[in-house]
Amino acid sequence: MGEPSSNDHTVEVSDFIHGVGQVLARVKAGEMLTITERGEPVAVVIPLRRPRTAMPAVGYARAGVQRVDREPPRSP
């Protein structure tokens, strides 16, 4: 990736493809980036909001949350 200035919030598609790890690191740090193709904006990559309180892995069943990573039991 080229050397972006501190105010540069755009990334060319070719830089995105070849430097996706660097782009995602910027987004994880809170930066919103516009992906451009030949200078024209084509997409915006924004960080997801994180929940204010994380639900612990233990206790999902007690909280009424069902797991979906397993197949349901088969009926006899």
Side-chain angles (χ1 to χ4, degrees):
M1 264 172 64
E3 293 293 321
S5 71
S6 61
N7 294 333
D8 189 4
H9 297 286
T10 63
V11 176
E12 186 64 31
V13 169
S14 59
D15 292 334
F16 177 73
I17 291 169
H18 297 293
V20 70
Q22 292 174 336
V23 171
L24 291 178
R26 290 172 66 182
V27 173
K28 285 180 184 178
E31 194 171 347
M32 182 176 82
L33 299 173
T34 301
I35 309 300
T36 61
E37 186 174 47
R38 295 183 182 96
E40 293 294 320
V42 295
V44 175
V45 182
I46 61 171
L48 294 176
R49 289 187 185 183
R50 299 203 181 243
R52 292 179 189 241
T53 57
M55 189 171 203
V58 178
Y60 275 19
R62 287 190 298 270
V65 178
Q66 296 181 357
R67 293 183 63 159
V68 293
D69 59 344
R70 292 189 235 159
E71 290 184 28
R74 295 180 186 221
S75 301

